[in-house]
Amino acid sequence: MSEISTRVAGIDHTPPTGQFALLSQRRFAPFFMTQFLGAANDNLFKFAFTVLVTYQLNVSWLAPKMAGLVIGALFILPFVLLSATAGQWADKYDKGTIMRGVKVLEIGVMVLAGIGFWMQLVPLLLGCVFLMGLHSTLFGPVKYAYLPQHLSERELTGGNGMVEMGTFVAILLGNVGGGLMMGIPDTGVHWVAGSCFAVAVIGWLAALQIPASPSSDPNLKLNWNPATETWRNLKLAAEYPSVFRSLLGISWMWFFGAVFLSQFPSFAKEVLGGNTEVASLLLVVFSVGIAVGSLLCETFSHRHVEIGLVPIGAVGMSVFAFDLYLASKGLSHEPGVLMTVGDFVSHHAHWRVMADLGLLAFSAGLYSVPMYALIQLRAKPSHRARIIAANNILNALFMIVSSLMAGALLGRNFSIPEVFGVTALLNVLVVGYVFWLMPEYIVRLVMLFVTRIVYRLKVRGDENLPTDGAAILVCNHVSFVDAVILGVCSPRPMIFLMDHRIFKTPGMGWFFRAVKAIPIAPQKEDPQAYERAFERARQVLKDGDLLCLFPEGAITKDGQIQPFKPGIMKILETNPVPVIPSALHNLWGSTFSRIEGAAMAKPLRRGLFNRIGLVVGEPIAPQDVTPEGLQTRVQALLDEPSP
């Protein structure tokens, strides 16, 4: 029975692996090294080329301050043209095979790039930028579709954090390596050419160890028309509102980040008065910031997909980007003299610039990792790679617009700090709009605040919470924030069936409406509202979602569990789904309980950070459910020690 209900409810009982421990496992380590080395090579090549045309070559048709924008636009152009095709391949064929083929392509491109560096052929190098963009276009859908195929829900945030950390450390090493090698007199371009080829070969060797990753849709018929397939992918993603809005949020992050990354060489030279080593230092600070933010997502989210971190990251991105504008707009330096790193860090004003860059990047890590994990968790597996391809298309379009916007502002004599300031203000508007479209982000932030500040929540048995499929969660009812606490523990949205009076609680009503809670009135009081609530509850289960109800029917007034009412049986008659018992510990006597006769009679009566717990039991098959039996199960969970 337990095995059947676990399978139906989509529960994963596999003990999760810590994010760093994944590096010792074949299901993750070869893939991680492959994507790490690919990102490193992309940036080693691009940054070395940017330094070449910014500092060393005088190319009449490519102004230094526009070089980063042109190179960036060429790199992302293939994402617009071919992401749709790449997404189809990733769904139709084995992902390991595709990754190995992409690495062979990279080796060939680096041979051409080596010739371009040795002979300083700028047009050939621009062509190689486009081809490396093609390499990344083919790799992108495979990269993010691979993770949910090999990691459990509780490993997704950590795995994505490792990938994001690895990507930006690779960006760091690639850019720093490219900058340092290009600074070697006379032979710099030779070192770059050899290094790019060597990294490509090592990446191919790592890809040979990637385990089999079978097709998610082997019968897929390929559509070779990129325009119609792109439109089809965008429509497919739009069928999942939370996924599509997260795609928009991620694409905006790339718009935002592209403004800063493309301007680092010019920002370092023209605004800060630094040499190539200073430009590399800025990239170090930025990459370390985003790597740390990405890695800490697993800690902050307690190994679940926690999108409540996204608003925190969004606020940080705006605040620190705007302060970067304020910190850098008044800086001056001696014309014609470029500072070394030692000279640069000796000025206290430059520390504020570096702090803003680091904290901006840290915030971007908190913002992006949960969104990527949410897309992977909620996208339909058979269409996952194509939805990620749609994400890449949107990312590319947003980055192209980013380049055009930055170029237009610079062309109208905006300074680089002013471009940063405009981007910070745009971030407020765009991210605010995304949150308005999808209030779930703000709802999860409220849940995080309650369970991390007002309370200190510990959970046991959360592996019993289903990641997919219809199920009912039942729990004892202790306080006005029970729904908040239960909601933050669930790996996906939970729909609550609750007393209509609690639904109308001043100050909390907006929250219950935002989580789409279903108010229910007693049958004797309002028969129509009673039946309407049950109809909505049945529809929730019919849609394959997770329903939560409190069978006591009201918040306890004495701290003891009250008799369970038979309403759940009415739901199970037409929707026989697994039922998961759970129990809240230590909430009685807290701010939002009725220990004083009414909630909030003595605000913060136990202070902040008081510990509470949730214990989740194993699912019960629908045919074995009775109100009395459920009450006994929940009482048994209450009698267990608090987590």
Side-chain angles (χ1 to χ4, degrees), residues 267-274 278 282 323-335 339 344 347-354 356-357 415 417 420:
F267 180 61
K269 179 181 179 182
E270 299 177 14
V271 178
L272 302 178
V278 173
L282 298 182
D323 194 67
L324 177 62
Y325 154 68
L326 296 176
S328 57
K329 70 172 184 175
L331 294 178
S332 60
H333 57 90
E334 185 177 348
M339 286 183 286
F344 178 78
H347 290 75
H348 294 298
H350 295 158
W351 283 93
R352 180 180 170 187
V353 170
M354 290 189 290
D356 283 331
L357 274 177
S415 66
F420 293 166

Side-chain angles (χ1 to χ4, degrees), residues 475-486:
C475 190
N476 58 319
H477 209 357
V478 192
S479 77
F480 284 90
V481 293
D482 292 350
V484 176
I485 294 163
L486 291 170

Side-chain angles (χ1 to χ4, degrees), residues 495 518 535-547:
I495 309 298
I518 303 170
E535 282 301 317
R536 290 182 60 188
R538 294 187 188 101
Q539 188 60 47
V540 167
L541 297 175
K542 185 178 179 181
D543 292 340
D545 293 327
L546 180 60
L547 178 70

Side-chain angles (χ1 to χ4, degrees), residues 180-514:
L180 292 177
M181 282 187 277
M182 287 303 294
I184 300 174
D186 301 325
T187 60
V189 291
H190 304 158
W191 281 99
V192 169
S195 298
C196 287
F197 178 76
V199 172
V201 171
I202 297 171
W204 172 71
L205 293 174
L208 294 177
Q209 304 303 314
I210 294 174
S213 304
S215 163
S216 56
D217 190 1
N219 297 320
L220 174 67
K221 185 177 180 180
L222 296 177
N223 176 11
W224 294 98
N225 186 324
T228 59
E229 185 62 24
T230 295
W231 180 245
R232 184 185 301 174
N233 284 353
L234 292 173
K235 287 174 63 179
L236 179 66
E239 293 177 7
Y240 305 85
S242 63
V243 171
F244 185 68
R245 290 161 187 170
S246 296
L247 298 184
L248 294 176
I250 289 173
S251 296
W252 172 255
M253 192 273 290
W254 283 105
F255 177 107
F256 182 91
V259 171
F260 294 88
L261 288 171
S262 65
Q263 292 302 312
F264 275 165
S266 297
F267 180 61
K269 179 181 179 182
E270 299 177 14
V271 178
L272 302 178
N275 60 11
T276 57
E277 294 178 356
V278 173
S280 298
L281 175 63
L282 298 182
L283 285 163
V284 169
V285 172
F286 189 89
S287 300
V288 169
I290 205 163
V292 172
S294 298
L295 287 176
L296 287 179
C297 282
E298 184 184 60
T299 301
F300 294 155
S301 64
H302 291 241
R303 290 187 175 176
H304 280 298
V305 177
E306 182 48 76
I307 61 175
L309 298 175
V310 174
I312 299 173
V315 170
M317 288 163 63
S318 280
V319 168
F320 297 115
F322 194 76
D323 194 67
L324 177 62
Y325 154 68
L326 296 176
S328 57
K329 70 172 184 175
L331 294 178
S332 60
H333 57 90
E334 185 177 348
V337 178
L338 298 180
M339 286 183 286
T340 63
V341 168
D343 294 332
F344 178 78
V345 299
S346 67
H347 290 75
H348 294 298
H350 295 158
W351 283 93
R352 180 180 170 187
V353 170
M354 290 189 290
D356 283 331
L357 274 177
L359 291 170
L360 179 159
F362 176 85
S363 301
L366 294 183
Y367 175 90
S368 62
V369 168
M371 282 192 171
Y372 276 118
L374 180 142
I375 292 168
Q376 292 163 350
L377 180 65
R378 297 190 187 175
K380 189 176 180 180
S382 61
H383 296 74
R384 188 180 283 133
R386 278 169 283 173
I387 288 176
I388 292 168
N391 180 38
N392 290 340
I393 295 166
L394 290 172
N395 291 349
L397 291 173
F398 274 62
M399 292 172 73
I400 289 171
V401 174
S402 170
S403 297
L404 294 174
M405 183 202 77
L409 291 175
L410 292 170
R412 297 180 73 88
N413 295 321
F414 276 64
S415 66
I416 293 176
E418 287 171 344
V419 172
F420 293 166
V422 169
T423 306
L425 295 176
L426 282 175
N427 188 63
V428 175
L429 299 175
V430 174
V431 174
Y433 178 66
V434 171
F435 294 158
W436 179 77
L437 286 176
M438 191 176 173
E440 185 183 349
Y441 290 110
I442 304 300
V443 167
R444 296 291 299 198
L445 177 61
V446 172
M447 291 178 174
L448 276 181
F449 176 81
V450 171
T451 56
R452 303 287 186 266
I453 305 297
V454 179
Y455 300 111
R456 293 293 299 277
L457 175 65
K458 299 291 183 182
V459 184
R460 183 169 65 245
D462 55 334
E463 67 275 6
N464 292 316
L465 291 169
T467 56
D468 58 73
I472 300 174
L473 182 77
V474 298
C475 190
N476 58 319
H477 209 357
V478 192
S479 77
F480 284 90
V481 293
D482 292 350
V484 176
I485 294 163
L486 291 170
V488 82
C489 300
S490 175
R492 58 183 172 138
M494 188 185 300
I495 309 298
F496 295 90
L497 188 67
M498 62 172 55
D499 186 280
H500 69 114
R501 288 160 294 194
I502 297 176
F503 185 86
K504 298 173 184 177
T505 302
M508 290 296 294
W510 72 270
F511 174 84
F512 297 137
R513 288 189 295 273

Side-chain angles (χ1 to χ4, degrees), residues 115-135:
I115 297 171
F117 276 119
W118 276 63
M119 303 182 67
Q120 297 192 354
L121 299 174
V122 173
L124 177 58
L125 290 171
L126 287 173
C128 290
V129 170
F130 179 86
L131 291 175
M132 284 305 288
L134 174 61
H135 153 274

